[in-house]
């Protein structure tokens, strides 16, 4: 069941607004504060990554967010107009000197993280 879908110009302001809008809708489906906190952190990190690294802060490019609930999981998809993630996620925060910390946090909070060019799919089992 699709619970959210939106696309907007690539900016931190718009990413923040999109996150707030999504979380307000998510509370209609879940009342687990810890789960909602984790999802908010995941979306924030992924959307900031889209704006800064994918679209290189280019306001003419778009970011998108969608989410669906499947039988036992929530599937979150973010997409930008960049070239996609080209690096492996390192295993330790200390190794992430200038970038990669956000994706490492997301990897730790999700059950499955899929990189498909300029789209990232995060799955959390419920």
């Amino acid at each position: 069941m699709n619970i959210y879908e939106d696309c907007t110009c690539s900016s931190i302001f718009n990413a923040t607004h999109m996150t707030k809008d999504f979380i307000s809708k998510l509370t209609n489906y879940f009342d687990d504060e810890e789960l909602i906190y984790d999802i908010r952190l995941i979306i924030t990190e992924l959307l900031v990554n889209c704006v800064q690294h994918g679209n290189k802060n280019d306001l003419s490019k778009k970011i998108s967010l969608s989410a669906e609930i499947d039988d036992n999981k929530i599937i979150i998809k973010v997409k930008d107009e960049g070239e996609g993630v080209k690096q492996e996620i390192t295993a330790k925060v200390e190794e992430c000197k200038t970038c990669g910390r956000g994706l490492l946090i997301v990897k730790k909070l999700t059950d499955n993280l899929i990189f498909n060019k300029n789209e990232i799919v995060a799955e959390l089992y419920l």
Side-chain angles (χ1 to χ4, degrees):
M1 163 177 52
N2 188 14
I3 61 170
Y4 188 84
E5 191 166 353
D6 196 8
C7 180
T8 188
C9 295
S10 184
S11 74
I12 296 297
F13 176 81
N14 289 342
T16 301
H17 177 73
M18 188 183 287
T19 300
K20 288 179 183 178
D21 186 44
F22 173 72
I23 295 300
S24 72
K25 289 181 175 43
L26 190 65
T27 58
N28 293 328
Y29 299 93
F30 303 105
D31 61 359
D32 181 337
E33 290 183 27
E34 187 175 324
L35 175 64
I36 291 172
Y37 178 86
D38 287 351
I39 292 172
R40 180 190 330 258
L41 183 55
I42 290 165
I43 291 170
T44 299
E45 293 296 338
L46 291 177
L47 288 177
V48 166
N49 191 65
C50 286
V51 171
Q52 292 180 339
H53 301 291
N55 290 342
K56 310 265 191 249
N57 296 304
D58 184 343
L59 292 172
S60 70
K61 294 186 177 181
K62 304 282 186 201
I63 57 172
S64 65
L65 168 65
S66 65
E68 62 184 80
I69 298 172
D70 198 359
D71 295 325
N72 63 342
K73 64 184 170 184
I74 182 166
I75 302 164
I76 300 164
K77 298 177 183 179
V78 298
K79 190 172 185 177
D80 57 45
E81 294 183 26
E83 295 179 17
V85 178
K86 294 181 181 176
Q87 68 183 38
E88 289 292 320
I89 298 175
T90 59
K92 297 178 183 173
V93 173
E94 304 84 42
E95 295 174 14
C96 304
K97 296 191 191 288
T98 58
C99 61
R101 284 188 211 108
L103 291 178
L104 181 60
I105 290 168
V106 171
K107 184 171 176 67
K108 297 285 184 184
L109 290 174
T110 58
D111 295 301
N112 194 19
L113 192 61
I114 303 162
F115 297 93
N116 184 19
K117 297 181 184 172
N118 63 334
E119 179 182 64
I120 298 177
V121 179
E123 297 178 338
L124 290 87
Y125 296 113
L126 303 172

